[in-house]
Amino acid sequence: MNLLVLVQSAVNRFIAGKGFWTELFWRTKASFVLSVWNFRSRVGSRRSNDVYSKHKISLNGFRYLAVIFENTYKSLFWGYTVCGHHYHKGETYNMPESLLLNVENMNWNSIQQMLDENGYAKLPSLLKKNECQELINTYEEESLFRTTIDMSRYRFGVGEYKYYSAPLPSLLKRLREGLYPELAITANRWLKQLGLDASYPATLEEFLEQCHQEEQNRPTPLILKYDAGGYNCLHQDLYGKVFFPFQVVVALNQREVDYTGGEFLLVEQRPRAQSRGHVITLNQGEGLIFPTNHRPVLGTRGYYRTTLRHGVSTVTTGTRYSLGIIFHDSK
């Protein structure tokens, strides 16, 4: 996946501002190389997320070559596609390579182990400072959002959050798509531990189709803002019959610099026992994976469910911004 993104990005930068025939030439060469690499990576890697083509793969003779040239033709006359998003001719692909590299190169074995043991896992810096600021700047662009929620009106807490509308900002869309596949592996393992069948598909696109079949069509990623005195009561983000068992929060500004207080709270309610609480702090750009609803815990008689709720403690000074990445859509 890394090579695909880097090659496509390099070609786009190289041809910027050049004439039509130069663009035609380099798009032909790049599309052919990317197509060949994409098919090889799809055959050889179970984790390949790049959707340069929806064709079923066959490496037998003319069918293989025909699909490669079809991809090349589409690239030349209709633009190009990266990670499932189509960019029309003249539209710039400015996806930061660092984002996909960060997600791909994380130690997912360690992350999955932390999820199994603790129910949550901190992620190393997902976003750079300028990328965090880019998302904070979207807060005032009302056209990007479908709904604004005043938390005090509904007694959810004190603060405000906004749900992004479709299409999501490119940075957010790529982050959501990139995190999903590895989390789906853990999600299916948790289902099996609870005696249920694995039901989460390998890609976010397939999972969202399940949401849409249940009339859950509205995107749920959101940005949250808390001024001094703001907080978020303990809650769950379910939104419908279909939900993904993990979600991710990303800190968009720096604690002890831009704000104080405002720690992330995660409370686990155990059967026939008192609740267990976690207080988690995040630096700017860092993320946290945590359960949406419940998780399996190994007891003396096998696995049992514990229910989790999350919230935010009171912000004492400044303004706290965070990004919420929820993978299921809402009714």
Side-chain angles (χ1 to χ4, degrees):
M1 181 177 73
N2 299 348
L3 179 62
L4 290 169
V5 175
L6 290 172
V7 170
Q8 182 70 77
S9 181
V11 169
N12 291 332
R13 288 196 300 267
F14 178 76
I15 65 175
K18 292 183 168 57
F20 171 79
W21 292 109
T22 301
E23 177 174 350
L24 188 71
F25 174 75
W26 284 104
R27 285 253 187 262
T28 302
K29 294 186 67 173
S31 180
F32 185 86
V33 171
L34 291 172
S35 297
V36 173
W37 185 267
N38 178 58
F39 285 118
R40 292 182 60 189
S41 65
R42 278 174 170 268
V43 171
S45 172
R46 65 174 178 83
R47 298 194 327 182
S48 178
N49 303 326
D50 300 88
V51 189
Y52 282 83
S53 172
K54 294 183 179 179
H55 292 276
K56 298 296 183 182
I57 300 169
S58 171
L59 297 181
N60 296 324
F62 290 109
R63 185 180 178 191
Y64 177 47
L65 292 175
V67 175
I68 290 177
F69 281 108
E70 181 182 359
N71 280 358
T72 303
Y73 178 81
K74 288 180 179 178
S75 172
L76 294 176
F77 292 95
W78 283 285
Y80 51 96
T81 304
V82 177
C83 299
H85 176 75
H86 187 73
Y87 290 79
H88 297 281
K89 183 176 173 60
E91 184 180 358
T92 302
Y93 173 59
N94 57 5
M95 169 61 191
E97 293 92 342
S98 61
L99 179 58
L100 288 179
L101 293 175
N102 281 349
V103 173
E104 179 74 8
N105 293 330
M106 284 191 290
N107 187 344
W108 281 103
N109 289 333
S110 175
I111 291 169
Q112 290 174 359
Q113 183 178 353
M114 286 188 287
L115 289 172
D116 288 341
E117 293 177 356
N118 303 320
Y120 66 90
K122 289 181 68 171
L123 299 176
S125 185
L126 285 172
L127 301 177
K128 296 179 180 179
K129 184 176 180 179
N130 65 304
E131 294 167 345
C132 291
Q133 188 60 51
E134 176 184 335
L135 289 167
I136 291 175
N137 291 343
T138 67
Y139 197 83
E140 303 302 328
E141 299 181 33
E142 295 299 330
S143 62
L144 296 177
F145 302 97
R146 63 174 178 84
T147 306
T148 299
I149 301 295
D150 179 354
M151 295 169 62
S152 60
R153 177 182 176 185
Y154 299 97
R155 304 183 70 180
F156 293 163
V158 176
E160 185 179 77
Y161 56 86
K162 299 180 179 183
Y163 290 105
Y164 285 97
S165 60
L168 298 175
S170 177
L171 186 64
L172 174 54
K173 182 176 185 291
R174 301 292 172 262
L175 193 56
R176 194 186 191 203
E177 291 172 346
L179 289 168
Y180 174 89
E182 290 290 347
L183 293 179
I185 295 172
T186 302
N188 284 323
R189 185 173 65 255
W190 281 16
L191 286 178
K192 291 179 180 179
Q193 290 171 350
L194 294 171
L196 303 173
D197 294 332
S199 62
Y200 295 104
T203 67
L204 180 63
E205 182 181 12
E206 294 172 286
F207 174 66
L208 290 178
E209 183 58 34
Q210 294 181 0
C211 294
H212 300 163
Q213 290 173 3
E214 296 293 333
E215 298 183 350
Q216 294 175 220
N217 298 306
R218 299 192 297 169
T220 49
L222 68 163
I223 186 170
L224 305 98
K225 177 184 178 183
Y226 305 91
D227 291 320
Y231 63 92
N232 197 345
C233 298
L234 296 175
H235 65 284
Q236 295 178 329
D237 299 309
L238 298 179
Y239 302 113
K241 179 180 178 180
V242 179
F243 64 88
F244 193 65
F246 295 109
Q247 58 194 93
V248 178
V249 63
V250 181
L252 295 182
N253 56 352
Q254 181 59 46
R255 64 186 182 92
E256 306 301 332
V257 176
D258 299 309
Y259 66 93
T260 58
E263 294 85 1
F264 185 87
L265 305 175
L266 187 64
V267 176
E268 185 173 17
Q269 183 179 349
R270 298 174 291 175
R272 299 177 298 279
Q274 293 182 333
S275 297
R276 178 188 183 189
H278 303 275
V279 177
I280 304 164
T281 58
L282 298 173
N283 292 316
Q284 185 177 35
E286 290 181 340
L288 177 73
I289 304 169
F290 61 96
T292 302
N293 186 14
H294 55 255
R295 76 178 184 104
V297 176
L298 183 61
T300 57
R301 298 183 179 180
Y303 287 95
Y304 62 92
R305 296 187 187 198
T306 65
T307 299
L308 294 102
R309 291 178 171 81
H310 62 278
V312 174
S313 70
T314 302
V315 174
T316 51
T317 63
T319 299
R320 177 189 190 273
Y321 287 94
S322 60
L323 178 70
I325 303 174
I326 301 170
F327 297 94
H328 48 273
D329 281 352
S330 171
K331 280 195 172 182

